[in-house]
Amino acid sequence: METQSDNLVRAARLDEVRAAGRISVRLAGRSLALFFHDGKVYAVDNRCPHMGFPLHRGTVQDGILTCHWHHARFDLESGGTFDQFADEARVFPVEIRDGEVWVDLTARGDQLNHQRQRLLDGLERNISLVLAKSTIGLLGGGEDPAEPFRAGLDFGARYRRAGWGQGLTIHACMMNLLLYLAPEDRPRALYHGLSAVSRDCAGEPPRFILRPLPSTTADLATLKLWFRRFVEVRDAEGAERCIVSAVRAGANHLQMADMLFAAATDHRYLDVGHVLDFTNKALEALDVAGWSYAEPVLASLSRGYAGATRMEESNSWRNPVDLVEILEDAFEKLSSALDSGRHRGDGRWEGREELASVVLGEDPRAIASALLEALREGATEEELAQAVAYAAALRIARFPTTNEFGDWNTALHTFTFANAVHQGLRRTPSQELLRGVFDAAMSVHLDRFLNIPPTRLPEPDGLETVPEELLAKLPALLDERQQVDAAGGLVARYLYSGEDADRLLALLGALLLREDRNFHTIQAIEAAFSQHASLRGTVAGTHVLVAAARYLAAHCPTMRSQGQTYDIARRLSRGEILHEE
């Protein structure tokens, strides 16, 4: 008997389906559920689109099919779901021929478009499993990772009235980490970023972005002046309108970075560094997404600028030593120091470790003087920033576990701020942003109590190592709590053995991704990877990754529930059966 005609496949006898009410059949490697309801036969993919439970074990009432595992409900005829945590059930056209049920197995239409829509559904409803499924489906279907990243960036910039926050920062960090990760871990990184954005926006009112000025002859310099003035008086709307007007007038990423970073450093260490760090992450996000997203993304920063705490208003920056006074005096000498350095013209400055040692010292005046002297000796703005970022990383690398646990965050804030200043100066060097290097150095100075007593930095031990064994030990090490020193030592031994850092970076990234999201841990790893990129092959580069491993180990293990959600989505994408042992 013929069993296949074009895309139609013989599935069962009509009287068999009518008598049973429902049966499961296997056609061309696919499990289908056949239902007889109100005189018609319906064919549905037997795997519930939510988590794969057999739908033939469900219930049909008044044309609605209910899965008995999580009670997802579907229109039996169209497959459409009434519960957005599920997906549309796959239905197949049915023909009855001579008492036989034939099913059309023609492939479904554009799967990528379907997954793009589901990605938006997951963002809107904060459904992590939907986000995991769509991310896996999109990248598995050949989608450029930048596309789901753009969707998350645009959603986060528009649907959180408070503007840029932790969610979008995590999203940008995850995109930055992608190039270090093994291909199989990249969808997981995007899933974490998208889920962080969705969670940050859940229950929040949307942002209504201001229009640019209707017509103005103001040039970019004037808009920059106005922007800084509005930030000064904490006028978020005025500041936002300057941003969107500048972008609409044609300002590029360098000009907007200059405008934003100037205001971010008009006051000292705004919001313990978050304002400048968020600005840097927004610009890095636009490097990936494209400048067409600049208006909503950069406008989302304005509230953070206007509402930020200013460290010149804090006791710790004023007493017992007035650090702000020291900084203001140094800022007056910046121009002449830069001029002196440029006149040297040899383009060689090799004082990174020496300067970092001074920054880690006890005397804030000596720190400011050393920074100025480095500029006079020819250090570029970028080199100066890198030296201070290295000093900030050493605070973490030398952090003793006898400290209060919350003090990890204090050291982290300084490091991520210093990294953001460094990345900003790589993008657009300016005397205004250079002030951020001095702010970062003073924050490193204030963190000196975190290194009492300092943990010894791991040094080469001369012992023979087997790199593969070291890498194999690290995941198990981070299954236990507070393996801080052991993790740092293992990373140092691996790097001192001369092995390729790329394998270690990929592993550290994977170990970060298996944990539940922690904003500060993600920041720490991303900033360390960023710093290591320009320090690769140096002792300083090793110290930075030791700091990263120690910070990660201090915050492991978590419950790993978010990873469980992702693993469920991955198993479903492979066709695995979750409801059976």
Side-chain angles (χ1 to χ4, degrees):
M1 178 183 294
E2 183 183 16
T3 61
Q4 185 164 352
S5 176
D6 297 327
N7 290 316
L8 289 169
V9 179
R10 179 184 175 277
R13 292 190 56 80
L14 176 60
D15 55 7
E16 177 186 3
V17 181
R18 181 187 292 116
R22 75 201 57 200
I23 64 171
S24 65
V25 297
R26 195 155 191 88
L27 302 178
R30 181 191 298 273
S31 178
L32 269 66
L34 302 180
F35 294 92
F36 189 85
H37 180 70
D38 282 351
K40 292 177 62 178
V41 176
Y42 299 89
V44 184
D45 190 319
N46 202 26
R47 296 176 77 236
C48 177
H50 178 219
M51 289 182 65
F53 194 75
L55 288 175
H56 79 276
R57 292 163 62 179
T59 300
V60 176
Q61 183 176 5
D62 298 328
I64 293 177
L65 168 61
T66 300
C67 176
H68 282 189
W69 198 1
H70 297 93
H71 308 290
R73 299 159 298 169
F74 308 92
D75 170 21
L76 184 60
E77 184 167 0
S78 71
T81 184
F82 297 98
D83 300 285
Q84 290 303 305
F85 63 80
D87 199 344
E88 315 289 27
R90 176 83 188 276
V91 296
F92 301 87
V94 172
E95 288 187 18
I96 306 299
R97 296 180 180 178
D98 301 325
E100 305 281 354
V101 178
W102 292 70
V103 178
D104 185 348
L105 296 180
T106 302
R108 182 186 277 179
D110 190 343
Q111 277 296 294
L112 286 180
N113 273 335
H114 175 73
Q115 295 295 353
R116 292 181 191 118
Q117 180 57 54
R118 289 300 287 163
L119 183 75
L120 294 177
D121 293 341
L123 285 168
E124 290 168 357
R125 290 164 177 80
N126 190 27
I127 308 175
S128 295
L129 184 60
V130 171
L131 290 170
K133 288 178 179 178
S134 58
T135 303
I136 292 168
L138 286 168
L139 269 63
E143 185 87 311
D144 184 341
E147 288 302 325
F149 176 75
R150 290 184 183 103
L153 180 66
D154 188 60
F155 184 87
R158 294 180 184 277
Y159 291 101
R160 185 174 185 266
R161 187 165 65 187
W164 190 285
Q166 290 188 8
L168 282 170
T169 302
I170 291 173
H171 191 46
C173 285
M174 289 298 173
M175 194 65 192
N176 287 346
L177 290 174
L178 231 59
L179 65 94
Y180 300 100
L181 299 173
E184 62 269 21
D185 289 324
R186 292 169 188 165
R188 188 186 293 264
L190 280 172
Y191 151 74
H192 273 300
L194 291 162
S195 297
V197 169
S198 182
R199 183 171 182 174
D200 222 17
C201 295
E204 292 286 322
R207 289 191 68 251
F208 297 105
I209 301 168
L210 295 175
R211 295 182 299 278
L213 294 167
S215 61
T216 180
T217 59
D219 57 15
L220 187 59
T222 301
L223 288 170
K224 177 181 176 181
L225 173 68
W226 291 348
F227 175 67
R228 295 170 75 177
R229 183 178 298 168
F230 288 133
V231 170
E232 181 67 30
V233 298
R234 301 186 182 277
D235 181 353
E237 287 194 346
E240 179 178 343
R241 200 154 206 203
C242 289
I243 291 172
V244 295
S245 297
V247 174
R248 189 70 63 88
N252 62 30
H253 74 103
L254 296 177
Q255 293 166 322
M256 290 307 301
D258 176 70
M259 173 176 167
L260 293 164
F261 286 142
T265 51
D266 279 341
H267 291 277
R268 312 281 57 81
Y269 197 44
L270 289 178
D271 257 358
V272 293
H274 285 134
V275 169
L276 201 144
D277 187 35
F278 288 3
T279 301
N280 180 60
K281 283 292 167 283
L283 291 165
E284 290 175 348
L286 290 171
D287 291 340
V288 175
W291 197 242
S292 62
Y293 292 84
E295 279 189 32
V297 169
L298 297 183
S300 73
L301 297 167
S302 61
R303 283 198 175 198
Y305 275 73
T309 57
R310 300 166 177 178
M311 287 301 105
E312 59 264 43
E313 300 169 346
S314 70
N315 179 68
S316 61
W317 283 64
R318 291 290 193 177
N319 294 292
V321 178
D322 193 333
L323 301 180
V324 176
E325 183 180 286
I326 294 172
L327 288 172
E328 289 174 348
D329 179 66
F331 295 159
E332 291 178 2
K333 301 171 184 176
L334 274 180
S335 183
S336 63
L338 286 166
D339 287 341
S340 297
R342 293 188 188 104
H343 289 151
R344 289 179 63 94
D346 56 17
R348 291 183 302 172
W349 179 77
E350 299 177 350
R352 180 181 60 228
E353 284 74 15
E354 182 181 351
L355 179 58
S357 178
V358 175
V359 172
L360 290 166
E362 296 284 335
D363 187 348
R365 291 182 176 82
I367 293 170
S369 296
L371 293 171
L372 290 168
E373 187 59 28
L375 291 172
R376 295 186 188 104
E377 292 174 354
T380 65
E381 295 94 325
E382 180 183 339
E383 289 171 332
L384 196 74
Q386 185 183 63
V388 173
Y390 173 51
L394 287 175
R395 286 285 188 228
I396 299 174
R398 293 173 169 173
F399 188 98
T401 55
T402 51
N403 284 331
E404 289 278 353
F405 187 77
D407 285 336
W408 283 103
N409 293 343
T410 303
L412 179 279
H413 287 140
T414 302
F415 177 50
T416 54
F417 174 75
N419 174 67
V421 173
H422 180 213
Q423 303 310 319
L425 285 168
R426 292 182 65 193
R427 181 186 298 273
T428 175
S430 72
Q431 186 171 318
E432 292 155 332
L433 179 53
L434 187 57
R435 297 175 298 184
V437 177
F438 287 73
D439 287 353
M442 290 303 158
S443 188
V444 173
H445 163 71
L446 286 171
D447 293 346
R448 63 195 182 281
F449 71 94
L450 299 178
N451 290 160
I452 300 176
T455 296
R456 290 176 60 87
L457 292 171
E459 297 179 357
D461 55 18
L463 299 176
E464 185 176 347
T465 60
V466 181
E468 289 74 15
E469 291 182 3
L470 291 176
L471 293 180
K473 288 178 181 178
L474 191 55
L477 203 59
L478 299 190
D479 284 335
E480 302 177 38
R481 293 196 180 279
Q482 290 298 310
Q483 296 299 305
V484 174
D485 293 334
L490 188 152
V491 165
R493 286 187 67 198
Y494 177 86
L495 292 172
Y496 284 139
S497 72
E499 286 299 310
D500 182 14
D502 289 340
R503 293 172 63 197
L504 175 62
L505 293 168
L507 178 59
L508 286 171
L511 295 176
L512 170 71
L513 296 177
R514 73 174 180 171
E515 303 298 337
D516 289 337
R517 289 182 297 277
N518 177 287
F519 175 54
H520 291 135
T521 308
I522 292 166
Q523 283 187 299
I525 299 301
E526 190 271 341
F529 281 23
S530 179
Q531 285 301 305
H532 180 265
S534 55
L535 295 170
R536 180 182 285 264
T538 67
V539 172
T542 296
H543 290 162
V544 167
L545 291 188
V546 166
R550 296 183 85 246
Y551 197 98
L552 179 59
H555 296 81
C556 289
T558 60
M559 290 292 292
R560 299 176 182 171
S561 61
Q562 294 159 356
Q564 173 74 1
T565 299
Y566 181 84
D567 288 339
I568 288 170
R570 184 176 58 179
R571 292 179 63 191
L572 289 171
S573 74
R574 295 172 175 172
E576 294 184 28
I577 299 174
L578 303 186
H579 62 277
E580 295 180 356
E581 294 184 358

